[in-house]
mmCIF file of all heavy atoms in Angstrom:
data_model
loop_
_atom_site.group_PDB
_atom_site.id
_atom_site.type_symbol
_atom_site.label_atom_id
_atom_site.label_comp_id
_atom_site.label_asym_id
_atom_site.label_seq_id
_atom_site.Cartn_x
_atom_site.Cartn_y
_atom_site.Cartn_z
ATOM 1 N N LEU A 197 11.871 -1.417 -12.710
ATOM 2 C CA LEU A 197 11.955 -2.916 -12.371
ATOM 3 C C LEU A 197 10.603 -3.289 -11.706
ATOM 4 O O LEU A 197 10.101 -2.553 -10.958
ATOM 5 C CB LEU A 197 13.077 -3.147 -11.439
ATOM 6 C CG LEU A 197 13.203 -4.523 -10.871
ATOM 7 C CD1 LEU A 197 13.623 -5.555 -11.819
ATOM 8 C CD2 LEU A 197 14.226 -4.556 -9.746
ATOM 9 N N LYS A 198 10.089 -4.360 -12.071
ATOM 10 C CA LYS A 198 8.832 -5.026 -11.445
ATOM 11 C C LYS A 198 9.245 -6.103 -10.666
ATOM 12 O O LYS A 198 9.887 -7.105 -10.941
ATOM 13 C CB LYS A 198 7.993 -5.439 -12.621
ATOM 14 C CG LYS A 198 7.419 -4.152 -13.299
ATOM 15 C CD LYS A 198 7.306 -4.507 -14.786
ATOM 16 C CE LYS A 198 6.762 -3.150 -15.583
ATOM 17 N NZ LYS A 198 7.891 -2.408 -16.007
ATOM 18 N N ILE A 199 8.566 -6.158 -9.408
ATOM 19 C CA ILE A 199 8.959 -7.135 -8.308
ATOM 20 C C ILE A 199 7.635 -7.714 -7.715
ATOM 21 O O ILE A 199 6.597 -6.920 -7.786
ATOM 22 C CB ILE A 199 9.908 -6.686 -7.239
ATOM 23 C CG1 ILE A 199 9.326 -5.491 -6.441
ATOM 24 C CG2 ILE A 199 11.331 -6.362 -7.863
ATOM 25 C CD1 ILE A 199 10.081 -4.995 -5.265
ATOM 26 N N ARG A 200 7.782 -8.773 -7.147
ATOM 27 C CA ARG A 200 6.578 -9.343 -6.311
ATOM 28 C C ARG A 200 6.867 -9.006 -4.887
ATOM 29 O O ARG A 200 7.888 -9.413 -4.382
ATOM 30 C CB ARG A 200 6.366 -10.845 -6.560
ATOM 31 C CG ARG A 200 5.165 -11.311 -5.818
ATOM 32 C CD ARG A 200 4.826 -12.773 -6.219
ATOM 33 N NE ARG A 200 4.627 -12.971 -7.575
ATOM 34 C CZ ARG A 200 3.591 -12.615 -8.345
ATOM 35 N NH1 ARG A 200 2.681 -11.986 -7.737
ATOM 36 N NH2 ARG A 200 3.642 -12.792 -9.760
ATOM 37 N N TRP A 201 5.999 -8.207 -4.261
ATOM 38 C CA TRP A 201 6.154 -7.849 -2.854
ATOM 39 C C TRP A 201 4.768 -7.744 -2.209
ATOM 40 O O TRP A 201 3.760 -7.272 -2.774
ATOM 41 C CB TRP A 201 6.854 -6.575 -2.796
ATOM 42 C CG TRP A 201 6.982 -5.876 -1.488
ATOM 43 C CD1 TRP A 201 7.823 -6.461 -0.465
ATOM 44 C CD2 TRP A 201 6.537 -4.650 -0.978
ATOM 45 N NE1 TRP A 201 7.687 -5.560 0.661
ATOM 46 C CE2 TRP A 201 6.949 -4.509 0.396
ATOM 47 C CE3 TRP A 201 5.704 -3.743 -1.614
ATOM 48 C CZ2 TRP A 201 6.591 -3.495 1.106
ATOM 49 C CZ3 TRP A 201 5.472 -2.654 -0.826
ATOM 50 C CH2 TRP A 201 5.904 -2.437 0.439
ATOM 51 N N GLN A 202 4.589 -8.221 -0.990
ATOM 52 C CA GLN A 202 3.412 -8.220 -0.268
ATOM 53 C C GLN A 202 2.208 -8.737 -1.087
ATOM 54 O O GLN A 202 1.121 -8.205 -1.315
ATOM 55 C CB GLN A 202 3.023 -6.865 0.263
ATOM 56 C CG GLN A 202 3.902 -6.330 1.215
ATOM 57 C CD GLN A 202 3.433 -4.955 1.879
ATOM 58 O OE1 GLN A 202 2.667 -4.368 1.151
ATOM 59 N NE2 GLN A 202 4.012 -4.611 2.979
ATOM 60 N N ASP A 203 2.446 -10.004 -1.719
ATOM 61 C CA ASP A 203 1.384 -10.575 -2.467
ATOM 62 C C ASP A 203 0.821 -9.771 -3.694
ATOM 63 O O ASP A 203 -0.297 -9.852 -3.987
ATOM 64 C CB ASP A 203 0.211 -11.143 -1.639
ATOM 65 C CG ASP A 203 0.651 -12.122 -0.694
ATOM 66 O OD1 ASP A 203 1.604 -12.864 -1.067
ATOM 67 O OD2 ASP A 203 0.170 -12.224 0.439
ATOM 68 N N GLY A 204 1.592 -8.865 -4.098
ATOM 69 C CA GLY A 204 1.273 -7.946 -5.214
ATOM 70 C C GLY A 204 2.386 -7.779 -6.200
ATOM 71 O O GLY A 204 3.514 -8.293 -5.919
ATOM 72 N N MET A 205 2.036 -7.170 -7.421
ATOM 73 C CA MET A 205 3.046 -6.801 -8.432
ATOM 74 C C MET A 205 3.288 -5.285 -8.282
ATOM 75 O O MET A 205 2.383 -4.586 -8.339
ATOM 76 C CB MET A 205 2.614 -7.094 -9.737
ATOM 77 C CG MET A 205 2.510 -8.639 -10.029
ATOM 78 S SD MET A 205 1.989 -9.052 -11.755
ATOM 79 C CE MET A 205 0.469 -8.438 -11.863
ATOM 80 N N TRP A 206 4.671 -4.966 -8.071
ATOM 81 C CA TRP A 206 4.998 -3.581 -7.976
ATOM 82 C C TRP A 206 6.163 -3.224 -8.962
ATOM 83 O O TRP A 206 6.915 -3.877 -9.269
ATOM 84 C CB TRP A 206 5.486 -3.353 -6.506
ATOM 85 C CG TRP A 206 4.513 -3.633 -5.459
ATOM 86 C CD1 TRP A 206 4.161 -4.807 -5.021
ATOM 87 C CD2 TRP A 206 3.646 -2.698 -4.748
ATOM 88 N NE1 TRP A 206 3.211 -4.848 -3.966
ATOM 89 C CE2 TRP A 206 2.840 -3.461 -3.881
ATOM 90 C CE3 TRP A 206 3.612 -1.328 -4.825
ATOM 91 C CZ2 TRP A 206 1.787 -2.880 -3.106
ATOM 92 C CZ3 TRP A 206 2.576 -0.811 -4.047
ATOM 93 C CH2 TRP A 206 1.808 -1.501 -3.138
ATOM 94 N N GLU A 207 6.022 -1.949 -9.355
ATOM 95 C CA GLU A 207 7.004 -1.233 -10.101
ATOM 96 C C GLU A 207 7.820 -0.216 -9.352
ATOM 97 O O GLU A 207 7.210 0.579 -8.721
ATOM 98 C CB GLU A 207 6.435 -0.686 -11.422
ATOM 99 C CG GLU A 207 7.368 0.079 -12.284
ATOM 100 C CD GLU A 207 6.718 0.557 -13.536
ATOM 101 O OE1 GLU A 207 5.592 0.758 -13.577
ATOM 102 O OE2 GLU A 207 7.511 1.051 -14.464
ATOM 103 N N ILE A 208 9.093 -0.235 -9.525
ATOM 104 C CA ILE A 208 9.956 0.797 -8.821
ATOM 105 C C ILE A 208 9.872 2.042 -9.608
ATOM 106 O O ILE A 208 10.216 2.101 -10.608
ATOM 107 C CB ILE A 208 11.392 0.139 -8.553
ATOM 108 C CG1 ILE A 208 11.369 -1.103 -7.817
ATOM 109 C CG2 ILE A 208 12.298 1.203 -8.039
ATOM 110 C CD1 ILE A 208 12.581 -1.661 -7.605
ATOM 111 N N VAL A 209 9.368 3.105 -8.864
ATOM 112 C CA VAL A 209 9.246 4.341 -9.464
ATOM 113 C C VAL A 209 10.534 5.235 -9.160
ATOM 114 O O VAL A 209 10.959 5.940 -9.962
ATOM 115 C CB VAL A 209 8.027 5.140 -8.914
ATOM 116 C CG1 VAL A 209 8.008 6.458 -9.515
ATOM 117 C CG2 VAL A 209 6.824 4.304 -9.369
ATOM 118 N N ASP A 210 10.970 5.075 -7.973
ATOM 119 C CA ASP A 210 12.311 5.742 -7.544
ATOM 120 C C ASP A 210 12.970 4.993 -6.419
ATOM 121 O O ASP A 210 12.256 4.283 -5.607
ATOM 122 C CB ASP A 210 11.894 7.118 -6.973
ATOM 123 C CG ASP A 210 13.018 8.075 -6.779
ATOM 124 O OD1 ASP A 210 14.172 7.945 -7.504
ATOM 125 O OD2 ASP A 210 12.993 8.963 -5.890
ATOM 126 N N TYR A 211 14.219 5.059 -6.239
ATOM 127 C CA TYR A 211 14.964 4.414 -5.137
ATOM 128 C C TYR A 211 16.317 5.184 -4.727
ATOM 129 O O TYR A 211 16.790 5.898 -5.597
ATOM 130 C CB TYR A 211 15.348 2.942 -5.452
ATOM 131 C CG TYR A 211 16.363 2.836 -6.531
ATOM 132 C CD1 TYR A 211 17.762 2.586 -6.104
ATOM 133 C CD2 TYR A 211 16.113 3.030 -7.891
ATOM 134 C CE1 TYR A 211 18.729 2.653 -7.098
ATOM 135 C CE2 TYR A 211 17.109 2.924 -8.811
ATOM 136 C CZ TYR A 211 18.395 2.662 -8.428
ATOM 137 O OH TYR A 211 19.377 2.643 -9.342
ATOM 138 N N GLN A 212 16.598 5.047 -3.612
ATOM 139 C CA GLN A 212 17.779 5.667 -3.022
ATOM 140 C C GLN A 212 18.462 4.783 -2.037
ATOM 141 O O GLN A 212 17.961 4.157 -1.182
ATOM 142 C CB GLN A 212 17.601 6.937 -2.321
ATOM 143 C CG GLN A 212 17.076 8.098 -3.318
ATOM 144 C CD GLN A 212 16.663 9.374 -2.496
ATOM 145 O OE1 GLN A 212 16.685 9.430 -1.296
ATOM 146 N NE2 GLN A 212 16.463 10.352 -3.174
ATOM 147 N N HIS A 213 19.776 4.729 -2.111
ATOM 148 C CA HIS A 213 20.621 3.800 -1.233
ATOM 149 C C HIS A 213 21.197 4.650 -0.191
ATOM 150 O O HIS A 213 21.759 5.687 -0.465
ATOM 151 C CB HIS A 213 21.764 3.214 -2.059
ATOM 152 C CG HIS A 213 22.636 2.180 -1.273
ATOM 153 N ND1 HIS A 213 22.216 0.936 -0.985
ATOM 154 C CD2 HIS A 213 23.705 2.407 -0.712
ATOM 155 C CE1 HIS A 213 23.183 0.411 -0.277
ATOM 156 N NE2 HIS A 213 24.042 1.284 -0.063
ATOM 157 N N HIS A 214 20.867 4.334 1.077
ATOM 158 C CA HIS A 214 21.350 5.048 2.336
ATOM 159 C C HIS A 214 22.188 4.192 3.126
ATOM 160 O O HIS A 214 21.764 3.134 3.556
ATOM 161 C CB HIS A 214 20.187 5.569 3.091
ATOM 162 C CG HIS A 214 19.228 6.516 2.460
ATOM 163 N ND1 HIS A 214 19.657 7.833 2.480
ATOM 164 C CD2 HIS A 214 18.210 6.465 1.709
ATOM 165 C CE1 HIS A 214 18.713 8.642 1.777
ATOM 166 N NE2 HIS A 214 17.875 7.727 1.289
ATOM 167 N N LYS A 215 23.390 4.731 3.504
ATOM 168 C CA LYS A 215 24.318 3.995 4.486
ATOM 169 C C LYS A 215 24.225 4.865 5.706
ATOM 170 O O LYS A 215 24.608 6.061 5.763
ATOM 171 C CB LYS A 215 25.572 3.878 3.887
ATOM 172 C CG LYS A 215 26.693 3.386 4.874
ATOM 173 C CD LYS A 215 26.471 1.896 5.184
ATOM 174 C CE LYS A 215 27.659 1.375 6.023
ATOM 175 N NZ LYS A 215 27.258 0.634 7.036
ATOM 176 N N MET A 216 23.741 4.159 6.787
ATOM 177 C CA MET A 216 23.607 4.953 8.108
ATOM 178 C C MET A 216 24.786 4.605 9.125
ATOM 179 O O MET A 216 24.567 3.404 9.704
ATOM 180 C CB MET A 216 22.274 4.767 8.685
ATOM 181 C CG MET A 216 21.215 5.291 7.813
ATOM 182 S SD MET A 216 19.612 5.219 8.654
ATOM 183 C CE MET A 216 18.856 3.916 7.720
ATOM 184 N N GLY A 217 25.721 5.376 9.214
ATOM 185 C CA GLY A 217 26.696 5.166 10.310
ATOM 186 C C GLY A 217 27.076 3.748 10.501
ATOM 187 O O GLY A 217 27.565 3.146 9.654
ATOM 188 N N ARG A 218 26.922 3.269 11.741
ATOM 189 C CA ARG A 218 27.352 1.806 12.009
ATOM 190 C C ARG A 218 26.320 0.823 11.673
ATOM 191 O O ARG A 218 26.544 -0.302 11.513
ATOM 192 C CB ARG A 218 27.515 1.741 13.454
ATOM 193 C CG ARG A 218 28.713 2.489 14.100
ATOM 194 C CD ARG A 218 28.922 2.172 15.484
ATOM 195 N NE ARG A 218 30.092 2.876 15.933
ATOM 196 C CZ ARG A 218 30.711 2.610 17.070
ATOM 197 N NH1 ARG A 218 30.223 1.583 17.864
ATOM 198 N NH2 ARG A 218 31.777 3.256 17.386
ATOM 199 N N GLY A 219 25.008 1.295 11.367
ATOM 200 C CA GLY A 219 24.020 0.416 10.980
ATOM 201 C C GLY A 219 24.150 -0.127 9.639
ATOM 202 O O GLY A 219 25.004 0.355 8.838
ATOM 203 N N GLY A 220 23.252 -0.961 9.111
ATOM 204 C CA GLY A 220 23.244 -1.483 7.832
ATOM 205 C C GLY A 220 22.739 -0.538 6.842
ATOM 206 O O GLY A 220 22.058 0.348 7.266
ATOM 207 N N ALA A 221 23.042 -0.731 5.622
ATOM 208 C CA ALA A 221 22.451 0.127 4.606
ATOM 209 C C ALA A 221 20.993 -0.150 4.296
ATOM 210 O O ALA A 221 20.474 -1.229 4.685
ATOM 211 C CB ALA A 221 23.260 -0.157 3.213
ATOM 212 N N VAL A 222 20.288 0.887 3.914
ATOM 213 C CA VAL A 222 18.903 0.792 3.623
ATOM 214 C C VAL A 222 18.630 1.377 2.191
ATOM 215 O O VAL A 222 19.228 2.265 1.832
ATOM 216 C CB VAL A 222 18.013 1.564 4.558
ATOM 217 C CG1 VAL A 222 16.562 1.582 4.324
ATOM 218 C CG2 VAL A 222 18.239 1.099 6.012
ATOM 219 N N VAL A 223 17.744 0.711 1.452
ATOM 220 C CA VAL A 223 17.304 1.160 0.181
ATOM 221 C C VAL A 223 15.963 1.677 0.359
ATOM 222 O O VAL A 223 14.972 0.813 0.570
ATOM 223 C CB VAL A 223 17.424 0.021 -0.952
ATOM 224 C CG1 VAL A 223 17.039 0.598 -2.167
ATOM 225 C CG2 VAL A 223 18.780 -0.445 -0.962
ATOM 226 N N LYS A 224 15.746 2.961 0.184
ATOM 227 C CA LYS A 224 14.513 3.766 0.274
ATOM 228 C C LYS A 224 13.832 3.663 -1.105
ATOM 229 O O LYS A 224 14.474 4.111 -2.065
ATOM 230 C CB LYS A 224 14.545 5.109 0.816
ATOM 231 C CG LYS A 224 14.991 5.164 2.259
ATOM 232 C CD LYS A 224 14.923 6.476 2.894
ATOM 233 C CE LYS A 224 15.348 6.282 4.348
ATOM 234 N NZ LYS A 224 15.212 7.521 5.053
ATOM 235 N N THR A 225 12.548 3.124 -1.279
ATOM 236 C CA THR A 225 12.002 3.103 -2.581
ATOM 237 C C THR A 225 10.605 3.631 -2.654
ATOM 238 O O THR A 225 9.911 3.855 -1.584
ATOM 239 C CB THR A 225 11.813 1.593 -2.965
ATOM 240 O OG1 THR A 225 10.927 0.941 -2.017
ATOM 241 C CG2 THR A 225 13.109 0.894 -3.118
ATOM 242 N N LYS A 226 10.213 4.097 -3.788
ATOM 243 C CA LYS A 226 8.885 4.557 -4.080
ATOM 244 C C LYS A 226 8.393 3.530 -5.161
ATOM 245 O O LYS A 226 8.880 3.344 -6.115
ATOM 246 C CB LYS A 226 8.794 5.935 -4.599
ATOM 247 C CG LYS A 226 7.439 6.492 -4.746
ATOM 248 C CD LYS A 226 7.446 7.925 -5.235
ATOM 249 C CE LYS A 226 7.963 8.850 -4.332
ATOM 250 N NZ LYS A 226 7.771 10.306 -4.619
ATOM 251 N N LEU A 227 7.349 2.671 -4.665
ATOM 252 C CA LEU A 227 6.739 1.637 -5.522
ATOM 253 C C LEU A 227 5.291 1.879 -5.953
ATOM 254 O O LEU A 227 4.475 2.453 -5.209
ATOM 255 C CB LEU A 227 6.796 0.328 -4.775
ATOM 256 C CG LEU A 227 8.040 0.004 -4.066
ATOM 257 C CD1 LEU A 227 7.836 -0.849 -2.827
ATOM 258 C CD2 LEU A 227 8.796 -0.802 -5.070
ATOM 259 N N ARG A 228 5.015 1.513 -7.160
ATOM 260 C CA ARG A 228 3.694 1.668 -7.718
ATOM 261 C C ARG A 228 2.930 0.260 -7.851
ATOM 262 O O ARG A 228 3.702 -0.586 -8.486
ATOM 263 C CB ARG A 228 3.566 2.402 -9.014
ATOM 264 C CG ARG A 228 2.250 2.597 -9.653
ATOM 265 C CD ARG A 228 2.231 3.398 -10.941
ATOM 266 N NE ARG A 228 2.908 2.678 -12.013
ATOM 267 C CZ ARG A 228 2.340 1.786 -12.802
ATOM 268 N NH1 ARG A 228 1.076 1.444 -12.659
ATOM 269 N NH2 ARG A 228 3.014 1.078 -13.711
ATOM 270 N N ASN A 229 1.802 0.067 -7.282
ATOM 271 C CA ASN A 229 1.122 -1.209 -7.470
ATOM 272 C C ASN A 229 0.625 -1.286 -8.857
ATOM 273 O O ASN A 229 -0.117 -0.324 -9.423
ATOM 274 C CB ASN A 229 0.053 -1.212 -6.492
ATOM 275 C CG ASN A 229 -0.666 -2.577 -6.420
ATOM 276 O OD1 ASN A 229 -1.130 -3.032 -7.453
ATOM 277 N ND2 ASN A 229 -0.636 -3.240 -5.315
ATOM 278 N N ILE A 230 0.956 -2.284 -9.557
ATOM 279 C CA ILE A 230 0.633 -2.502 -11.052
ATOM 280 C C ILE A 230 -0.815 -2.629 -11.186
ATOM 281 O O ILE A 230 -1.576 -2.171 -12.085
ATOM 282 C CB ILE A 230 1.350 -3.550 -11.535
ATOM 283 C CG1 ILE A 230 2.883 -3.156 -11.709
ATOM 284 C CG2 ILE A 230 0.789 -3.873 -13.119
ATOM 285 C CD1 ILE A 230 3.891 -4.262 -12.216
ATOM 286 N N ASP A 231 -1.519 -3.299 -10.222
ATOM 287 C CA ASP A 231 -2.952 -3.661 -10.270
ATOM 288 C C ASP A 231 -3.810 -2.398 -9.897
ATOM 289 O O ASP A 231 -4.796 -2.072 -10.644
ATOM 290 C CB ASP A 231 -3.337 -4.725 -9.332
ATOM 291 C CG ASP A 231 -2.822 -6.039 -9.751
ATOM 292 O OD1 ASP A 231 -2.553 -6.317 -10.972
ATOM 293 O OD2 ASP A 231 -2.387 -6.892 -8.851
ATOM 294 N N THR A 232 -3.424 -1.655 -8.871
ATOM 295 C CA THR A 232 -4.262 -0.495 -8.407
ATOM 296 C C THR A 232 -3.909 0.816 -8.814
ATOM 297 O O THR A 232 -4.513 1.690 -8.779
ATOM 298 C CB THR A 232 -4.398 -0.535 -6.924
ATOM 299 O OG1 THR A 232 -3.165 -0.409 -6.341
ATOM 300 C CG2 THR A 232 -5.076 -1.802 -6.450
ATOM 301 N N GLY A 233 -2.500 1.014 -9.121
ATOM 302 C CA GLY A 233 -1.901 2.192 -9.559
ATOM 303 C C GLY A 233 -1.524 3.089 -8.213
ATOM 304 O O GLY A 233 -0.956 4.048 -8.377
ATOM 305 N N SER A 234 -1.686 2.488 -7.042
ATOM 306 C CA SER A 234 -1.303 3.224 -5.794
ATOM 307 C C SER A 234 0.140 3.264 -5.654
ATOM 308 O O SER A 234 0.828 2.340 -6.039
ATOM 309 C CB SER A 234 -2.021 2.706 -4.664
ATOM 310 O OG SER A 234 -1.536 1.376 -4.471
ATOM 311 N N ILE A 235 0.494 4.355 -5.019
ATOM 312 C CA ILE A 235 2.017 4.553 -4.763
ATOM 313 C C ILE A 235 2.364 4.479 -3.369
ATOM 314 O O ILE A 235 1.609 5.176 -2.512
ATOM 315 C CB ILE A 235 2.572 5.698 -5.547
ATOM 316 C CG1 ILE A 235 2.508 5.644 -7.044
ATOM 317 C CG2 ILE A 235 4.148 5.928 -5.134
ATOM 318 C CD1 ILE A 235 2.984 6.779 -7.776
ATOM 319 N N VAL A 236 3.340 3.706 -2.843
ATOM 320 C CA VAL A 236 3.757 3.681 -1.463
ATOM 321 C C VAL A 236 5.223 3.784 -1.418
ATOM 322 O O VAL A 236 5.970 3.702 -2.358
ATOM 323 C CB VAL A 236 3.320 2.294 -0.814
ATOM 324 C CG1 VAL A 236 1.856 2.281 -0.811
ATOM 325 C CG2 VAL A 236 4.045 1.281 -1.473
ATOM 326 N N GLU A 237 5.749 4.358 -0.324
ATOM 327 C CA GLU A 237 7.092 4.533 -0.001
ATOM 328 C C GLU A 237 7.470 3.429 1.000
ATOM 329 O O GLU A 237 6.724 3.209 2.050
ATOM 330 C CB GLU A 237 7.511 5.924 0.512
ATOM 331 C CG GLU A 237 7.253 6.936 -0.554
ATOM 332 C CD GLU A 237 7.706 8.342 -0.084
ATOM 333 O OE1 GLU A 237 8.526 8.369 0.893
ATOM 334 O OE2 GLU A 237 7.297 9.204 -0.884
ATOM 335 N N ASN A 238 8.702 2.821 0.839
ATOM 336 C CA ASN A 238 9.118 1.740 1.768
ATOM 337 C C ASN A 238 10.653 1.605 1.804
ATOM 338 O O ASN A 238 11.263 1.925 0.791
ATOM 339 C CB ASN A 238 8.412 0.375 1.331
ATOM 340 C CG ASN A 238 8.490 -0.630 2.519
ATOM 341 O OD1 ASN A 238 8.039 -0.495 3.468
ATOM 342 N ND2 ASN A 238 9.321 -1.777 2.198
ATOM 343 N N GLY A 239 11.130 1.124 2.748
ATOM 344 C CA GLY A 239 12.615 1.005 3.058
ATOM 345 C C GLY A 239 12.796 -0.436 3.159
ATOM 346 O O GLY A 239 12.166 -1.129 3.843
ATOM 347 N N PHE A 240 13.869 -1.023 2.463
ATOM 348 C CA PHE A 240 14.309 -2.372 2.463
ATOM 349 C C PHE A 240 15.696 -2.446 3.081
ATOM 350 O O PHE A 240 16.596 -1.613 2.625
ATOM 351 C CB PHE A 240 14.238 -2.972 1.077
ATOM 352 C CG PHE A 240 12.775 -3.093 0.503
ATOM 353 C CD1 PHE A 240 12.564 -2.220 -0.524
ATOM 354 C CD2 PHE A 240 11.879 -3.859 1.005
ATOM 355 C CE1 PHE A 240 11.173 -2.195 -1.066
ATOM 356 C CE2 PHE A 240 10.687 -3.903 0.516
ATOM 357 C CZ PHE A 240 10.278 -3.103 -0.613
ATOM 358 N N ARG A 241 16.049 -3.447 3.685
ATOM 359 C CA ARG A 241 17.391 -3.721 4.094
ATOM 360 C C ARG A 241 18.277 -4.061 2.796
ATOM 361 O O ARG A 241 17.745 -4.794 1.993
ATOM 362 C CB ARG A 241 17.576 -4.745 5.192
ATOM 363 C CG ARG A 241 17.027 -4.437 6.509
ATOM 364 C CD ARG A 241 17.040 -5.635 7.425
ATOM 365 N NE ARG A 241 15.782 -6.350 7.116
ATOM 366 C CZ ARG A 241 15.817 -7.761 7.033
ATOM 367 N NH1 ARG A 241 16.907 -8.459 7.183
ATOM 368 N NH2 ARG A 241 14.698 -8.380 6.680
ATOM 369 N N ALA A 242 19.554 -3.607 2.838
ATOM 370 C CA ALA A 242 20.357 -3.948 1.615
ATOM 371 C C ALA A 242 20.638 -5.472 1.707
ATOM 372 O O ALA A 242 20.688 -6.072 2.679
ATOM 373 C CB ALA A 242 21.582 -3.227 1.918
ATOM 374 N N GLY A 243 20.409 -5.880 0.494
ATOM 375 C CA GLY A 243 20.624 -7.357 0.255
ATOM 376 C C GLY A 243 19.401 -8.211 0.187
ATOM 377 O O GLY A 243 19.375 -9.381 -0.042
ATOM 378 N N GLU A 244 18.149 -7.468 0.590
ATOM 379 C CA GLU A 244 16.958 -8.252 0.752
ATOM 380 C C GLU A 244 16.597 -8.656 -0.775
ATOM 381 O O GLU A 244 16.966 -7.999 -1.755
ATOM 382 C CB GLU A 244 15.947 -7.249 1.106
ATOM 383 C CG GLU A 244 14.844 -7.900 2.020
ATOM 384 C CD GLU A 244 13.817 -6.974 2.673
ATOM 385 O OE1 GLU A 244 14.293 -6.022 3.179
ATOM 386 O OE2 GLU A 244 12.710 -7.286 2.646
#
């Protein structure tokens, strides 16, 4: 999946859904910048 994030175009390389106890769920992702090819890991709140 390709998304716009932080003023750039990113492709999802990997993702995992994590539910932590009483807290909200988090989706941990590995994203590749389409323009530069760099890969970053980031967590997003569920529903973002």
